Every structure is written in C-alpha cells, then in structure tokens.
Amino acid sequence: MSETLQQKLDSKGDIVEFLRNQQLGPNPYPGVPAEYSNWRNEQRAWAESAVLFNQSYHMVELYVRGPDAMALLEYTAINSFKNFAVNKAKQYVPVTPDGYVIGDVILFYLDENEFSLVGRAPAIEWVEFHAQYKKPDGSKWDVEVERDERTAMRNDGKRKNYRFQLQGPNAMKILEKAMGQTPPDLKFFNMAHVDINGKDVIALRHGMAGQPGYELFGPWADYEAVHSALVEAGKDHGLALVGGRAYSSNTLESGWLPSPLPAFYTGDSEMMKDFRTWASGKSYAGMCSIGGSYVPDSIEGYYLTPWDIGYGHIVKFDHDFVGREALEKMADQKHKQKVTLALDNEDMMRVLSSLYAEGDRAKYFEFPSAVYAMHPFDEVKNAAGEVIGVSTWVGYSSNEGKMLTLAMIDPDEVEMGKEVKLVWGEPNGGTSKPTVEPHVQTEIKAVISPVPYSNVARTAYADSWRAKGVGANA
C-alpha cells in the first residue's frame, strides 16, 4: 500500500523544514523550448504585437460529469454560481474548512452536467477527493471525474486537449485571419465554437499579461492543424511564440499570484484528516517545495486567505460551501493587501555585481523569473526593520524595465511610492535544494506600487481575471 500524505508528514516531523529542503525546484514548462527567439522580445511582443502561449503541456485538467457535478463544484467554491451556464467559464477558488486558500483554477461549463477544471494540481485534487467523499447530508455525490495529467507526469506525451492562448494588441486581427471571418463578439469569460483550418475550436474570451485575447482549445488530434493556422495568420501581425522562460514571467505584469501554498498540511476537522489519509504522499502537497527568506514558526505561517491574495471581493455568502463559516468570521478582520514591489535599480546592480566578488555572494537572480522553488516566500520589511509581509513571485519585465515582485503586506503600511526592503536569499547560507547555491542574505530597497503594475492591465484591460478575479459572476 502506498504512503499517504498524512503518513509522509508524520515521518518528516517539522513540515516547514521538510518543504524548504525538498529537492524540486520551480514548476517546469515542458513541451516548449525555453526560448523561441529570446525572452526579452517574447515579453515585449505581448505588449506591442501579439503572442501565442502554448499551454498544452504544463497544467492538469479534470473533467467532472454527472447530475451532481454543478452542486459539488458550488459546494467547494467560495464564489457565486448564480447565472453560471453552458459556454461560460469562471475562476474556481476553494478553501479549507478553516478558510485558507487551496489554489485557483479555471472552470469551464462545457455542457449540461459536464465541466472541466484547468490549472495547478491542488484545487484539482481537492475536487477529486470530494467526488468520492460524502455530501453534507452523508450521502454520496453522483459524479464521475476524469483526470488528464500534465505532460511532466506522464509517459505517452499526449494530452486529451491542446490549449493555446492568443494575446496582445493584434490578437483579434490574427484570429480573424485564421478563421477567415470576424471572431465572435464575446463577453469576458464566455465561450463559443469557431472554425480554424477546418477544425472545431472552443474559444474563450480571456486575457493574460493584462492584454485582450482568446484561449483556444480542442482535441489533441487537431493540435498541428490549429497551431499552424494561427502561426501562419500571425506572420503579418508580429506574432511571437513564447517559450517557457518568458511564459512564467507574464504574471508579474498582470498581477495574478500563481503560488499560494495549499493549506492541506494541518486542520483538525474530519474533512481535512480524511483528505490527508486519502491523498498520496506523492500528491502535490507531498512533493512541492518552498523557498525564500521568510521562515515562519509553523506551516500555518504560509497559509493565505482569499483577501490576502486579492480575492476577497469574490467571496459570496449566497450559497453553502466548505469554509463558509470560517470566512464569515474572517470577513471583518484585517487582511494583507496585494501590491507590486518595484526593486531599486541601484540596489539590483549591487546585488548582481556580487556575482563577480571573490567573497560573499548574494542569491543568484535568474532572468526573467528569479524563482527557485515552487512556492517562493521572501520577507518584506519597513524602514524600522519590522516584517510587514511577504513577497512571492519575482522577476524582470522588459516592458517595464524593472525587477518586480508580487507581495502581500500589512494594509496599514500600504502607500504608493513608499520605500520598503525585500530580504533576498535564504537564512544560514541556504537550504539543501539543488536550485540553491551557498550565498548570503541581503536587503534590496523596493517601492510599493500598484497591482497590476502594467498600465495597460490597470486601464485598457481592467477586467483581467488574473488581476481582479473577475469572471462569469466570479
């Protein structure tokens, strides 16, 4: 019998030290090269012309079917399902019974009693668990689930569906040329079937990196026909294919926080105990890694509420759901506020120049994404040296000419333009992760800035779900 998540956690003792010393680095982006041209041009293309993100490989997809599918998903989501109908999509955001975030994915309403969820594994595994678990009344859910695993976790190299993102100022022109007709005028997070190169394609009105566009998906067998048609249609409109390096950095401009640690590790409710017994030691929670300068006394120090990551406005108490009672108690409490930190140019030059020193060196900054664990957490301090929050995703934007981070800090400290400090590097020379070399910690000056940082994302495309959490009645 394989080891359960609970057994694995019991054997490791200190969960914080266990996850900080896991041997896995950041999530890989398989199936595409690191760069098609160079990551600088690929970043600039989503702001200046158009890009084609290939999302066919790195995300998990879960189909949920059956008479109880809608009820199950509503019961496990914090956001409202009012007016949610076929050919719409929305964010799916679950929390634990204690009200802490598990993750978020995109939920597609494909047909009557048929849905799919696409994204990182934690939220997917939460739904899989509940599909075989009991309803609040003790009966069983009448649903079936089908998991289509991401490429890094399979051997056959094939997926059920391809998935492309066409984004940028010229995205509509490219889609029109690929279709041979004007694209449907869809509202945000609505879907329609379109024809591309003789193939039936589902198009979702969507956006990444703060830019308008479409997500396009369909059967894996149609991958090449659709992809080649989009590439051909983009030749006269500056379309750039985006590799894994640039792809992982788009979140810095849009403001979506991709890395909340799933709050699976503790919780004394029957549901959480049963989940940890059901989940494998090789599930996401048993395999993921944490990095950075922030080291709390317990694993709960990494847990986040919906308000902390900017999702407080989508919490709707119009339905019964897991964690509702806890969130009702939290609603009027003080929560962290999501901001962008723009790191000081001179301080960045100082840190980067340490690479050429014979003595102590700072933790290396990878470009464009300086992320070396699946869940980065770095301390943010005020002028008095007090820890006021945490920074998560960090990286460089060619469009902004800045090293940026997505952070969550004490709202009493939030003042646009105010200087704070990011503590960069791990304590005591670093952990045993292979992505961490011996180094010394250093403090980098930063300026509190808006989220999204991109002016386009804040103004021309203010509906972006990655920034605002907006969807079909999200």
Side-chain angles (χ1 to χ4, degrees), residues 199-261:
K199 304 299 182 182
D200 180 46
V201 178
I202 299 177
L204 168 71
R205 186 73 170 84
H206 196 341
M208 286 177 65
Q211 292 289 347
Y214 278 89
E215 178 169 320
L216 306 165
F217 61 98
W220 186 262
D222 297 343
Y223 177 116
E224 185 56 38
V226 176
H227 189 270
S228 61
L230 292 170
V231 172
E232 181 64 28
K235 285 183 177 179
D236 296 331
H237 298 288
L239 180 68
L241 303 183
V242 175
R245 293 184 72 178
Y247 178 83
S248 67
S249 69
N250 77 81
T251 191
L252 293 164
E253 295 175 29
S254 69
W256 175 65
L257 198 154
S259 54
L261 183 75

Side-chain angles (χ1 to χ4, degrees), residues 25-30 58 120 150 248 258 284 289 371 373-375 393:
N27 281 315
Y29 294 91
H58 74 278
R120 283 196 172 193
R150 58 196 175 100
S248 67
Y284 186 95
S289 58
V371 174
M374 295 166 77
H375 297 278
W393 211 261

Side-chain angles (χ1 to χ4, degrees), residues 30 40 48 53 78 112 165 170 190 236 261 268 270 291-292 382-383 399 405 408 431 445 448 453:
R40 283 84 60 199
E48 297 175 359
F53 294 115
I78 65 173
E112 184 178 359
Q165 284 268 359
N170 294 341
N190 279 244
D236 296 331
L261 183 75
D268 293 329
E270 179 185 9
N382 61 16
N399 294 311
T405 90
M408 296 159 289
T431 54
K445 290 184 291 185
I448 296 175
Y453 191 84

Side-chain angles (χ1 to χ4, degrees), residues 11-77:
S11 71
K12 299 301 180 182
D14 188 329
I15 302 174
V16 171
E17 282 302 300
F18 163 55
L19 295 179
R20 288 182 59 81
N21 287 279
Q22 286 273 53
Q23 297 301 289
L24 293 176
N27 281 315
Y29 294 91
V32 297
E35 298 169 297
Y36 282 94
S37 56
N38 64 81
W39 59 262
R40 283 84 60 199
N41 285 351
E42 291 169 14
Q43 282 188 337
R44 299 199 53 153
W46 65 57
E48 297 175 359
S49 54
V51 294
L52 188 63
F53 294 115
N54 192 336
Q55 299 181 314
S56 304
Y57 302 98
H58 74 278
M59 296 187 291
V60 183
E61 181 168 17
L62 184 74
Y63 283 86
V64 184
R65 304 182 181 97
D68 285 341
M70 178 80 148
L72 167 63
L73 293 166
E74 184 176 33
Y75 173 65
T76 51

Side-chain angles (χ1 to χ4, degrees), residues 145-175:
V145 294
E146 177 189 357
R147 179 166 175 160
D148 186 45
E149 189 57 81
R150 58 196 175 100
T151 299
M153 302 294 288
R154 60 194 305 150
N155 298 318
D156 58 9
K158 294 183 178 181
R159 299 293 306 272
K160 191 176 183 69
N161 296 309
Y162 66 81
R163 195 169 297 273
F164 307 132
Q165 284 268 359
L166 182 63
Q167 306 290 334
N170 294 341
M172 296 302 105
K173 296 177 183 177
I174 295 170
L175 185 57

Side-chain angles (χ1 to χ4, degrees), residues 63-185:
Y63 283 86
V64 184
R65 304 182 181 97
D68 285 341
M70 178 80 148
L72 167 63
L73 293 166
E74 184 176 33
Y75 173 65
T76 51
I78 65 173
N79 38 334
S80 177
F81 277 56
K82 283 185 177 179
N83 302 317
F84 192 40
V86 174
N87 287 330
K88 290 181 180 287
K90 69 192 300 73
Q91 279 175 285
Y92 169 81
V93 185
V95 298
T96 66
D98 293 324
Y100 295 110
V101 173
I102 291 168
D104 72 325
V105 295
I106 300 302
L107 171 62
F108 297 85
Y109 202 151
L110 300 175
D111 205 344
E112 184 178 359
N113 297 331
E114 182 177 12
F115 303 80
S116 75
L117 301 108
V118 178
R120 283 196 172 193
I124 300 290
E125 291 171 351
W126 187 243
V127 175
E128 286 183 298
F129 164 70
H130 277 279
Q132 57 81 54
Y133 199 55
K134 57 191 176 184
K135 294 181 180 180
D137 65 7
S139 63
K140 291 288 186 178
W141 297 100
D142 188 2
V143 296
E144 294 182 354
V145 294
E146 177 189 357
R147 179 166 175 160
D148 186 45
E149 189 57 81
R150 58 196 175 100
T151 299
M153 302 294 288
R154 60 194 305 150
N155 298 318
D156 58 9
K158 294 183 178 181
R159 299 293 306 272
K160 191 176 183 69
N161 296 309
Y162 66 81
R163 195 169 297 273
F164 307 132
Q165 284 268 359
L166 182 63
Q167 306 290 334
N170 294 341
M172 296 302 105
K173 296 177 183 177
I174 295 170
L175 185 57
E176 181 172 356
K177 187 170 183 179
M179 292 175 56
Q181 58 181 302
T182 302
D185 184 17

